[in-house]
Amino acid sequence: MVPLLLLLPLLVGESLQEKPGYRLRVQESLAVQAGLGVRVPCSFSYPWSSWYSSMEPFIYWFREGDGPHSDPVATNNPKRPVKTETQGRFRLLRDPSHKDCSLSISDARMSDTGVYYFRVERDEVKYSYRDKKLRLQVTAPLGKPYIQFPEPLEAGRPTTLTCTLSLASGGGLPLLFSWAGEAVESIDPDTLHSSELTLTPRPQDHGTNLTCWVTLQGSQVTLETTVQLNVSYAPRLVTTRISQESFTDLNGTSLPILEGQFLRLVCVADSNPPAMLSWLWEGKPLSPSQHSAPGVLEIPRVGVGDGGEVTCRAQHPLGSQQVSFSLSVQKGPPPCSCKTEEQQGSWPLVLTLIRGALMGAGFLLTYGLTWTYYTSACLSSNVPATGSLQELPGYELRVQESVVVQACMDVHVPCSFSYPWSSGNSWHSSEEPFIYWFREGDPHYSDAVATNDRKKRLKSETQGRFHLVGDPRDDDCSLSIQEARLSDSGVYYLRVERGRNVKYSYREKKLNLKVTEKPDIQFLEPLESGRRTSLTCSLSLACGQSHYLLFSWAGDTLDAMNPDTLHSSELTLTPRPQDHGTNLTCRVTLQGAQVTLERTIQLNVSYAPRNLRISLSFRNSTALKILQNASSVLISEGQALQLLCVADSNPPTQLSWFWGSPALESTPISSTGILEIPQAAAGDGEVTCQAQNPLGSQQVFFSLSVQKGPHPCSSETEEQQGSWPLVLTLIRGALMGAGFLLTYGFTWTYYTRVNLQGSQVTMDRAIQLNVSYALRNLHISLPFRNVTGV
């Protein structure tokens, strides 16, 4: 069973209890077999008064432990990417505008096991329904092989894949395994017939199929499962191209370009998952033209100073790669004043007229050339340079780019900036510069996290905690963050606005904030059913002493406990067998800080065998009969039986079969859950199934009563014996007189019946001889394979 991740969800300003108007109706616990699909009906409600707004409500399903800014597992928001491991498998079924949040899960995987919560966003409504969640349990498939391995596979790293088969009838038959696929073509064929396969995947194996066949020897049955490999590999084949009318590879080349020309660069990398692409000019990072396409860089007008080395870097958790080329810019005409003749006044025209008068006949030509020169040169230099590779002249930001802080602690981020502000006499202007800190992904017209602009709204989740601590008039953008929350983790950028001329977002350098912390649950493992165990929840926060910590526990195993005992850091629990595999959550609330942290674990409860039962089926029949303990079964001599013993326990139990009641040193007749009796012999007896694991044992038995058939007798016919019995009968009939016919009739009937019975007994003997050969290859017959409901 795949263990659940340790979860750290943070309730961003939201109570654990359901808020008025917010309600979620969804099945809270759901189980599905791996490889199958399931639909989860769901509906929700929320308070919202903008009835005439055309804005569509966005809904999200998140995995427990992921915040609202993480990738969801399913959403109707086209701008939000979903988790790669659930993409295409977790889908919303209906229209969220009708308050329907139903979820469809296809091709369920063992790694999907976990807890999921729902969130809705519409206008001012932003709410996570954390009071009711979906708990999904994915179990191993029944009657079909299952391939299990850690995902994702990594290229070059040896990984063990295991193929298992769970049948309703248990084990018993020898299983022959075999593997096939492009990824195993170079592996020694002798190693492809084990239930375990050690594979070192290659990048080219990504997306290929791997198949496991399981053959039940003796039953002529072969089952198979095919999976598509998801192989992670570092970037390879990174290329940069200039995209105009056609593509040109630039790796390691020199690119000449005219000053003022438009340039569009495209970077492409082959990796899985996709690499993070970034651009550098002379080692300095550049901002992409579009955040949705980081591999594309557009320069509307190339400047003379833009020449140099341009690099595309592909970064990936498994490695990075980069390619570079040299950009050579040919210098154009020198820059000139951008004022038109009308803006400059009439001096150029006056000088031209004087020059024309002196030159006589060349007047008109000289005027025309002069006017054309000023107009064309100034139009050329008026092209905006916002797309230049260099940071705009005069704009510079000095801030620590990476800051790590523990949850509920404070942090101070020093920051200073500069910008050009030299228009006329503006140095003596009383106009205050406005600065803003925005969360990455939010445009500058969204709510800021901190600002000195009193007309600008702040995000509700950062209001009162994110403060500017310096004077923007002194070019100080320092930021103070109080009582940091896990949801504060993210990237932030600065923007400055002053007057009409200065409006600039510093995207070349940003603040990357990471908030870390989580509670810890400690206890002695493994838990044993019926044994009292103490579990302790602790939170190691540096600021924990300044806040009162409120603990609370939740989980299916606590339903029968006194609620007053669930608000201590220490929990005394007596686990039950039915608590195995359930979740236990500890929540720690820092009162006064509006911060709640939590961790969820999955309980592993050991318990002795229970619910032991025996099922009986007859050969050539798919029907099962469940036998009660100490019951009696009556069958005919020579009949074939198949017996199945099933027990519930953790760890798995060892099943054994015995004739009679087992003693301490008894040798079992079978050490699997299946006992096959090809032909029952006459007589009575007791059959016992015993289940045993380290915590105890349990046994059930039933009495088997076999009806005995007739004794064998001579099979000679009347013709083979001769006529002596008939002659004697005739003499006896003559002597008896009137009883002749009656005596003859009884005598003839007697011989006929005995000889037919003798023939039947002979056939039974032949069947018994054939079955004794089959006993050498004890197996599960094909009809038993279709038995359901065990």
Side-chain angles (χ1 to χ4, degrees):
M1 183 175 294
V2 179
L4 292 177
L5 297 175
L6 300 180
L7 307 177
L8 318 172
L10 179 64
L11 304 182
V12 184
E14 299 168 2
S15 171
L16 288 175
Q17 298 182 359
E18 197 173 67
K19 285 188 175 181
Y22 292 94
R23 187 179 179 188
L24 182 67
R25 294 166 289 276
V26 66
Q27 185 175 347
E28 296 188 61
S29 182
L30 192 64
V32 61
Q33 289 184 12
L36 299 182
V38 65
R39 292 194 174 190
V40 185
C42 172
S43 63
F44 65 101
S45 60
Y46 58 96
W48 186 66
S49 58
S50 302
W51 299 108
Y52 302 104
S53 172
S54 60
M55 180 179 178
E56 180 184 5
F58 291 134
I59 65 174
Y60 310 84
W61 278 101
F62 291 98
R63 185 146 194 161
E64 184 77 328
D66 292 344
H69 300 289
S70 304
D71 292 343
V73 298
T75 182
N76 66 322
N77 188 347
K79 296 182 180 180
R80 288 289 295 273
V82 298
K83 286 184 176 292
T84 55
E85 57 266 31
T86 62
Q87 193 170 18
R89 299 189 302 109
F90 282 51
R91 295 186 298 273
L92 298 176
L93 287 176
R94 295 183 175 87
D95 189 354
S97 61
H98 296 159
K99 299 181 181 179
D100 194 310
C101 49
S102 300
L103 185 67
S104 170
I105 303 172
S106 59
D107 188 22
R109 301 174 183 175
M110 300 288 279
S111 58
D112 294 335
T113 297
V115 181
Y116 299 84
Y117 72 92
F118 176 71
R119 179 176 175 85
V120 62
E121 294 181 358
R122 185 174 190 178
D123 289 338
E124 299 301 319
V125 175
K126 295 182 179 180
Y127 186 76
S128 297
Y129 297 76
R130 294 184 180 269
D131 53 286
K132 186 175 288 188
K133 303 171 185 176
L134 167 65
R135 288 171 171 82
L136 178 66
Q137 178 72 33
V138 183
T139 60
L142 195 64
K144 181 180 180 181
Y146 181 71
I147 301 176
Q148 190 171 9
F149 57 93
E151 291 191 87
L153 299 171
E154 288 186 14
R157 188 185 70 178
T159 305
T160 299
L161 298 87
T162 305
C163 185
T164 57
L165 179 64
S166 299
L167 292 173
S169 55
L173 283 182
L175 303 179
L176 177 62
F177 293 85
S178 59
W179 301 80
E182 296 179 15
V184 298
E185 290 178 350
S186 59
I187 297 180
D188 184 356
D190 295 336
T191 65
L192 302 180
H193 297 288
S194 170
S195 61
E196 286 193 355
L197 173 69
T198 300
L199 176 67
T200 303
R202 306 159 299 180
Q204 58 266 35
D205 296 329
H206 175 64
T208 62
N209 291 334
L210 179 68
T211 301
C212 172
W213 281 293
V214 182
T215 301
L216 284 66
Q217 290 184 318
S219 66
Q220 296 181 345
V221 174
T222 298
L223 305 172
E224 71 174 73
T225 291
T226 298
V227 296
Q228 191 175 59
L229 298 181
N230 180 18
V231 181
S232 294
Y233 54 94
R236 58 174 189 164
L237 304 177
V238 180
T239 59
T240 55
R241 297 173 291 191
I242 177 172
S243 174
Q244 292 173 333
E245 295 182 356
S246 60
F247 288 101
T248 304
D249 289 332
L250 299 176
N251 301 345
T253 63
S254 177
L255 175 64
I257 192 169
L258 291 175
E259 180 186 15
Q261 187 174 349
F262 171 81
L263 182 64
R264 187 172 190 263
L265 300 170
V266 180
C267 185
V268 180
D270 176 24
S271 67
N272 182 50
M276 177 65 70
L277 299 174
S278 59
W279 290 94
L280 299 95
W281 175 78
E282 293 293 331
K284 298 178 182 178
L286 301 171
S287 296
S289 304
Q290 304 175 21
H291 290 285
S292 59
V296 178
L297 179 66
E298 292 181 348
I299 310 172
R301 180 176 179 271
V302 178
V304 176
D306 292 337
E309 185 181 59
V310 180
T311 300
C312 174
R313 177 179 296 166
Q315 292 177 304
H316 190 275
L318 300 181
S320 61
Q321 189 178 358
Q322 64 183 39
V323 293
S324 304
F325 68 93
S326 177
L327 182 64
S328 176
V329 183
Q330 296 180 358
K331 189 173 182 180
C336 66
S337 173
C338 297
K339 295 182 180 179
T340 63
E341 183 175 342
E342 181 180 354
Q343 294 170 323
Q344 287 180 316
S346 59
W347 285 108
L349 182 57
V350 171
L351 293 174
T352 303
L353 291 173
I354 296 172
R355 189 181 300 113
L358 295 174
M359 295 177 64
F363 167 75
L364 291 177
L365 179 61
T366 304
Y367 176 82
L369 292 175
T370 304
W371 184 87
T372 302
Y373 170 77
Y374 278 109
T375 303
S376 61
C378 292
L379 286 175
S380 175
S381 61
N382 272 330
V383 177
T386 56
S388 173
L389 288 175
Q390 303 180 83
E391 193 175 66
L392 287 181
Y395 291 95
E396 185 178 357
L397 179 65
R398 295 166 291 278
V399 67
Q400 185 176 345
E401 296 188 59
S402 181
V403 175
V404 180
V405 59
Q406 285 190 347
C408 79
M409 289 192 66
D410 301 341
V411 63
H412 176 74
V413 184
C415 173
S416 63
F417 65 101
S418 61
Y419 58 96
W421 181 244
S422 59
S423 301
N425 296 321
S426 299
W427 293 111
H428 306 287
S429 173
S430 60
E431 193 170 10
E432 181 183 6
F434 291 131
I435 64 173
Y436 312 84
W437 279 102
F438 290 99
R439 186 148 191 158
E440 180 77 331
D442 292 344
H444 67 267
Y445 48 80
S446 301
D447 295 344
V449 298
T451 182
N452 64 324
D453 184 353
R454 290 176 292 276
K455 296 180 180 180
K456 186 77 172 179
R457 292 195 313 176
L458 297 175
K459 282 186 176 291
S460 58
E461 56 265 32
T462 61
Q463 193 169 16
R465 298 188 303 109
F466 282 52
H467 302 280
L468 298 176
V469 293
D471 190 347
R473 290 174 294 186
D474 297 331
D475 298 341
D476 194 319
C477 50
S478 299
L479 187 65
S480 172
I481 302 174
Q482 299 175 351
E483 296 178 350
R485 303 175 183 175
L486 294 178
S487 59
D488 294 335
S489 295
V491 180
Y492 300 84
Y493 70 92
L494 179 74
R495 179 176 175 84
V496 61
E497 294 182 1
R498 187 172 187 179
R500 296 182 179 180
N501 297 331
V502 177
K503 293 183 179 180
Y504 186 76
S505 297
Y506 296 81
R507 295 186 179 271
E508 298 80 13
K509 186 175 289 187
K510 302 171 187 176
L511 167 64
N512 192 335
L513 177 66
K514 185 176 183 180
V515 184
T516 61
E517 200 46 70
K518 56 188 176 182
D520 186 34
I521 301 178
Q522 296 179 336
F523 58 96
L524 295 176
E525 294 189 89
L527 298 173
E528 287 189 14
S529 175
R531 189 184 71 181
R532 292 168 60 88
T533 304
S534 293
L535 299 90
T536 303
C537 184
S538 60
L539 182 64
S540 57
L541 288 175
C543 59
Q545 297 178 354
S546 61
H547 293 281
Y548 178 73
L549 301 182
L550 176 62
F551 292 85
S552 62
W553 299 81
D556 295 340
T557 187
L558 309 178
D559 293 343
M561 295 184 63
N562 185 349
D564 296 336
T565 65
L566 303 181
H567 296 287
S568 170
S569 61
E570 186 170 298
L571 173 70
T572 300
L573 175 68
T574 303
R576 306 159 299 180
Q578 58 266 37
D579 297 329
H580 175 65
T582 62
N583 291 334
L584 179 67
T585 299
C586 172
R587 297 187 179 96
V588 184
T589 301
L590 283 67
Q591 290 189 331
Q594 296 182 346
V595 173
T596 297
L597 307 172
E598 75 175 54
R599 177 176 290 225
T600 299
I601 60 174
Q602 191 176 58
L603 298 181
N604 180 18
V605 181
S606 296
Y607 53 94
R610 62 173 189 162
N611 299 331
L612 186 63
R613 62 186 186 275
I614 297 176
S615 303
L616 177 147
S617 68
F618 297 95
R619 179 171 292 177
N620 300 326
S621 173
T622 59
L624 278 183
K625 179 180 180 182
I626 307 299
L627 303 181
Q628 301 296 326
N629 193 28
S631 60
S632 179
V633 176
L634 181 65
I635 64 172
S636 300
E637 181 183 17
Q639 195 165 3
L641 297 179
Q642 289 174 324
L643 300 170
L644 172 66
C645 188
V646 179
D648 174 25
S649 70
N650 184 46
T653 187
Q654 175 64 46
L655 297 170
S656 303
W657 290 92
F658 298 87
W659 290 118
S661 180
L664 291 178
E665 302 298 329
S666 299
T667 300
I669 57 176
S670 175
S671 296
T672 67
I674 297 177
L675 177 64
E676 184 170 299
I677 305 176
Q679 184 183 32
D684 298 333
E686 186 178 279
V687 182
T688 301
C689 175
Q690 178 175 279
Q692 190 167 17
N693 78 352
L695 298 182
S697 63
Q698 187 182 11
Q699 61 185 36
V700 295
F701 69 92
F702 70 95
S703 297
L704 182 64
S705 179
V706 183
Q707 289 182 343
K708 189 174 182 181
H711 290 290
C713 64
S714 174
S715 59
E716 291 180 337
T717 64
E718 185 176 345
E719 182 180 354
Q720 292 172 323
Q721 289 181 316
S723 60
W724 288 108
L726 181 59
V727 171
L728 292 176
T729 302
L730 293 173
I731 297 173
R732 189 181 300 111
L735 295 175
M736 293 176 65
F740 168 75
L741 292 176
L742 180 63
T743 303
Y744 176 83
F746 278 117
T747 304
W748 183 86
T749 301
Y750 168 77
Y751 278 108
T752 303
R753 179 177 61 83
V754 170
N755 285 322
L756 285 175
Q757 287 180 348
S759 178
Q760 182 180 1
V761 170
T762 303
M763 292 175 64
D764 287 343
R765 284 171 173 253
I767 292 174
Q768 188 173 17
L769 292 176
N770 287 336
V771 172
S772 66
Y773 171 78
L775 283 173
R776 295 186 304 166
N777 296 295
L778 190 61
H779 66 283
I780 302 175
S781 61
L782 182 59
F784 192 72
R785 174 176 149 288
N786 295 323
V787 173
T788 59
V790 179

